[in-house]
């Protein structure tokens, strides 16, 4: 039995979130949540909420009484669209600032 959760258009870079996702891949849900709780990274907070959502989906939709015994089967961090902003530079020029977004997918399994 699998349970999924998605966090789309999150304002965090994929480059900064993927190393955090590698920490929890293959771990039990309780252990993964404990790791993420003490990881000082913006991506860790978003992953924490997404795993909690997937565990709630497992309990609500699939009838699991204890989703904490499930395992993080898959964590995928894909890049979303980048917001483009401009900042003024010398001689009347403008410089582009890219603000990246991420799509995060979490799959829990028995």
């Amino acid at each position: 039995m699998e349970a999924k959760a998605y966090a789309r258009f999150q304002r965090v870079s994929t480059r900064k979130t993927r190393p955090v996702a590698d920490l929890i891949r293959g771990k039990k849900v309780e252990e993964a949540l404990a790791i993420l709780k003490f990881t000082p990274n913006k991506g860790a907070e978003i992953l924490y909420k997404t795993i909690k959502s997937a565990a709630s989906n497992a309990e609500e939709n699939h009838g699991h009484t204890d989703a904490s015994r499930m395992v993080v089967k898959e964590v995928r961090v894909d890049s979303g669209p980048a917001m483009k902003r401009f900042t003024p530079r010398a001689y009347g020029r403008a410089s582009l600032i890219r603000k990246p977004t991420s799509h995060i997918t979490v799959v829990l399994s028995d």
Side-chain angles (χ1 to χ4, degrees):
M1 188 75 62
E2 290 185 345
K4 295 180 183 180
Y6 303 99
R8 301 188 67 212
F9 303 102
Q10 298 298 310
R11 263 293 288 122
V12 65
S13 154
T14 57
R15 188 173 176 179
K16 294 176 183 178
T17 309
R18 282 185 182 137
V20 180
D22 293 339
L23 289 175
I24 60 168
R25 194 172 285 120
K27 302 260 194 312
K28 290 192 173 193
V29 170
E30 285 182 346
E31 187 179 349
L33 291 175
I35 290 169
L36 291 173
K37 190 170 189 176
F38 296 106
T39 303
N41 189 326
K42 185 177 178 181
E45 182 181 340
I46 296 168
L47 280 168
Y48 182 88
K49 290 179 181 181
T50 311
I51 289 177
K52 289 279 281 187
S53 176
S56 296
N57 289 343
E59 290 177 358
E60 188 67 30
N61 299 337
H62 302 298
H64 282 281
T65 55
D66 190 16
S68 62
R69 286 187 274 162
M70 297 184 85
V71 176
V72 179
K73 179 182 176 185
E74 181 183 350
V75 179
R76 202 167 58 237
V77 182
D78 300 322
S79 61
M83 295 188 294
K84 295 177 179 75
R85 302 291 182 261
F86 293 95
T87 187
R89 301 305 290 239
Y91 298 105
R93 296 185 182 128
S95 189
L96 180 68
I97 295 177
R98 297 181 75 246
K99 295 179 178 252
T101 61
S102 299
H103 299 317
I104 298 171
T105 305
V106 174
V107 179
L108 303 181
S109 179
D110 288 338

